[in-house]
Amino acid sequence: MQSPIKNQINTIFVHVSDLKESVKWYSELLGQPYSMDKVEEPVYNLDINHHTGLTLDAGPKGEIKKQTKSDHPLFNFHTEDIEKAYTFVREKNLHMSSEITTFDDFAFFTVKDPDGNTIMICTG
């Protein structure tokens, strides 16, 4: 029987404790404009290229979501130039959790979001 589930990721949910802080962090990391006037709990959808979406989810309005951070990358953002991306993140004073690791055809480094989740920036 053929599966009715597509081989496609539509939306990644990142659970956050402070929606406005996370909107600012992710938007600035991706170089996207944002307006705090348009940030309304409980969720905020970032514009992501192609099929996949990224939703920041603060949970029920009026409650502070207790977070369990992930020390392992939840997902990655792509870059064509790992050195330039590394410099950009460093100049933004974001919490970098690794240096650049390079393989023959792949390079990456990791950063921590405001809730301590590990996000990978990579080529390849």
Side-chain angles (χ1 to χ4, degrees):
M1 175 176 174
Q2 185 175 2
S3 176
I5 301 168
K6 291 184 178 185
N7 183 14
Q8 173 182 315
I9 295 174
N10 281 357
T11 304
I12 295 168
F13 282 80
V14 176
H15 298 276
V16 302
S17 59
D18 184 326
L19 187 61
K20 288 187 176 186
E21 181 181 8
S22 294
V23 167
K24 179 180 186 286
W25 191 90
Y26 279 92
S27 295
E28 289 183 0
L29 178 69
L30 298 173
Q32 291 187 355
Y34 63 96
S35 170
M36 284 301 162
D37 295 337
K38 294 183 180 181
V39 178
E40 293 184 27
E41 291 192 13
V43 297
Y44 182 87
N45 296 308
L46 281 101
D47 291 325
I48 300 294
N49 188 12
H50 206 42
H51 297 288
T52 305
L54 180 62
T55 296
L56 303 176
D57 184 353
K61 193 170 187 170
E63 293 181 23
I64 296 176
K65 187 179 269 190
K66 293 188 191 245
Q67 291 304 104
T68 304
K69 68 178 182 170
S70 172
D71 290 327
H72 304 286
L74 297 174
F75 56 89
N76 71 64
F77 288 120
H78 180 75
T79 182
E80 296 291 334
D81 187 332
I82 198 73
E83 296 289 340
K84 191 173 184 178
Y86 186 85
T87 299
F88 176 81
V89 170
R90 188 177 65 229
E91 289 174 354
K92 289 259 181 213
N93 292 319
L94 302 181
H95 180 190
M96 301 175 83
S97 49
S98 78
E99 298 294 318
I100 296 172
T101 299
T102 304
F103 298 99
D104 290 339
D105 59 349
F106 177 78
F108 74 91
F109 66 93
T110 57
V111 297
K112 297 273 187 180
D113 77 1
D115 285 296
N117 292 307
T118 302
I119 307 300
M120 183 181 280
I121 311 296
C122 65
T123 62

